[in-house]
Amino acid sequence: MNHQMHRVGLAAALCLSSSMLYAAVGADEAAQLKTTLTPLGAERAGNKDGTIPAWQGGITKAVAASGKLPADPFPNEKPVLQITAANMAQYADKLNDGTRALLKKYPSYRIDVYPTHRTAAAPQWVYENTFKNATNAKLTQNGLSITGAYGGVPFPIPKSGIELYWNHTLHPRVASNQFGFRNIVGSADGRRTLASRSDNNNQFPYYFKDGSAEKWDKNYLLSRFMTTEPPFKAGESLVVRDSIDTANARAAWQYLVGQRRVRRAPTVGYDTPDFVASGANYFDEVIGFWGGPDRYEWKLIGKKEMYIPYNDNRFFNTPEKEAFVAFHTNPDKVRWELHRVWVVEATLAPGKRHAIPKRTFYFDEDTWAVAGIDGYDAEGKLWRTTQVFPFVVPEVPIVAADVVMVYNLQAGTVSCIQCLNDEYWKPVASRPDSFFTGDSLGADGVR
């Protein structure tokens, strides 16, 4: 681990000149993706304690279906460790600031640690594209955009913090999916409220199997949803198109039932309160981090082992009334595992503003998705913490990581964003590009 930290730190120092066009790694280094590293760039070996196993290819065979969501691949396993406020000091080096704060704040909060399973997998063509990206992908525009990448992890052997941002933003996903989600808000008195319930369609043109870096139109995420609950919000809908083109990084349209018209929604992003969740979180806190990189400077710290929620199919297959208790998720239902994460510190860029001036990001080494974030206020005090809940979808195969809990530790509130409990999630055939436009939103926006 020390050697790894040293290697990363040295590499990061060599790449501090952010105005340069970064070069991809050489062929010799990329060859590690077929030996010591997994095809997506994680360490193939387990840890020396034997608590993180070697990667054996992930889960690629579908498990028995349990209904509307992918089933729990490990239904009979029991926790090997429980961490509470009473014993957390013993494990402090493997807990982030936010998790330690939750353990201190809520006597009912607990972490049940299960055996680690490295379930992350992707289709073979994604592995092949990732190998190409290793030697072809480059940062452009001071890291605010990229070129030469397609259909895989853009920087599987990262050298800088901004490359981790791009790996998260473009981590492997199913090309097109559909799911129902609930945004649930918890208040400081422990009560829980349904902010909204919606049906969502996501499409990732970056992961169209028959595409290429040359043919890709730079749109990496197309999203469209319609709210069905509560009644006064039913019919509201939103379309978002995200691009690596910095001149048009995000385009959004919103249909408002009361006005019966579609309007552009330029504020959907960064630290604008998320109206889908009644403002309980910021828009860039959706799916771990859902925003542009331009407001921060991204410093790569290195890697560490950390307990994070993982393989949480069982949690999502739990009815909402059992999945949560006052103030937080139900500890009996959440699966935590020990995994290696990349640590990146994001601090406010010169001349920029953001309600959260400093954040520490933790990226799962196997999927590159954000695993958690700690956010600090202008005085440097811990303010909020994000937990991401990955679940396995073997039939693709992928590990999906779209559901998050954002705890506001100072206000005592919590927001569950895109919760899947009592809902459905499924891969679907790709939709035409015109489905994700403001015009199509208006055509369907009739209550």
Side-chain angles (χ1 to χ4, degrees), residues 46-299:
N47 65 354
K48 64 179 181 181
D49 296 334
T51 48
I52 297 177
W55 184 78
Q56 302 288 352
I59 292 186
T60 58
K61 294 182 179 178
V63 296
S66 62
K68 298 179 180 179
L69 294 167
D72 181 4
F74 314 109
N76 299 318
E77 286 192 345
K78 304 297 181 184
V80 295
L81 172 66
Q82 289 189 329
I83 302 175
T84 66
N87 68 351
M88 70 175 183
Q90 184 179 347
Y91 308 100
D93 63 329
K94 293 182 174 59
L95 298 171
N96 61 309
D97 289 354
T99 302
R100 290 198 298 271
L102 288 170
L103 288 165
K104 290 180 182 177
K105 188 176 182 68
Y106 301 116
S108 55
Y109 198 72
R110 187 185 78 241
I111 292 173
D112 284 358
V113 179
Y114 288 76
T116 296
H117 291 282
R118 300 182 67 182
T119 51
Q124 182 61 35
W125 63 270
V126 173
Y127 294 156
E128 293 168 0
N129 280 346
T130 299
F131 187 75
K132 295 176 184 175
N133 292 344
T135 53
N136 293 330
K138 297 176 183 178
L139 296 170
T140 62
Q141 302 184 50
N142 294 335
L144 301 184
S145 189
I146 64 172
T147 186
Y150 183 79
V153 176
F155 303 104
I157 306 176
K159 307 297 185 184
S160 63
I162 192 65
E163 291 179 346
L164 268 295
Y165 162 84
W166 283 111
N167 284 355
H168 158 74
T169 299
L170 299 174
H171 71 267
R173 292 175 165 105
V174 63
S176 187
N177 67 3
Q178 185 179 67
F179 58 94
F181 71 82
R182 297 163 185 256
N183 280 12
I184 301 167
V185 177
S187 57
D189 61 4
R191 290 184 297 178
R192 209 169 51 251
T193 303
L194 176 68
S196 63
R197 188 268 165 201
S198 303
D199 290 300
N200 189 51
N201 294 273
N202 277 347
Q203 194 146 293
F204 301 92
Y206 181 81
Y207 278 103
F208 286 169
K209 185 178 180 179
D210 58 353
S212 67
E214 293 73 25
K215 294 190 295 185
W216 179 38
D217 67 358
K218 298 185 179 181
N219 286 316
Y220 63 83
L221 168 61
L222 310 178
S223 183
R224 170 176 166 172
F225 70 78
M226 177 176 287
T227 297
T228 61
E229 297 180 46
F232 74 91
K233 292 177 71 71
E236 288 187 4
S237 48
L238 184 73
V239 162
V240 176
R241 300 174 66 94
D242 281 341
S243 171
I244 64 166
D245 181 358
T246 55
N248 189 28
R250 173 166 293 172
W253 296 263
Q254 183 183 15
Y255 178 80
L256 296 172
V257 176
Q259 299 179 11
R260 301 185 70 82
R261 68 181 180 89
V262 176
R263 69 175 188 179
R264 293 296 293 263
T267 59
V268 174
Y270 300 111
D271 54 358
T272 299
D274 178 359
F275 54 74
V276 186
S278 299
N281 55 266
Y282 297 128
F283 269 113
D284 68 8
E285 291 177 314
V286 177
I287 60 173
F289 189 74
W290 187 45
D294 55 303
R295 297 204 177 176
Y296 292 106
E297 292 183 322
W298 303 76
K299 180 182 179 182

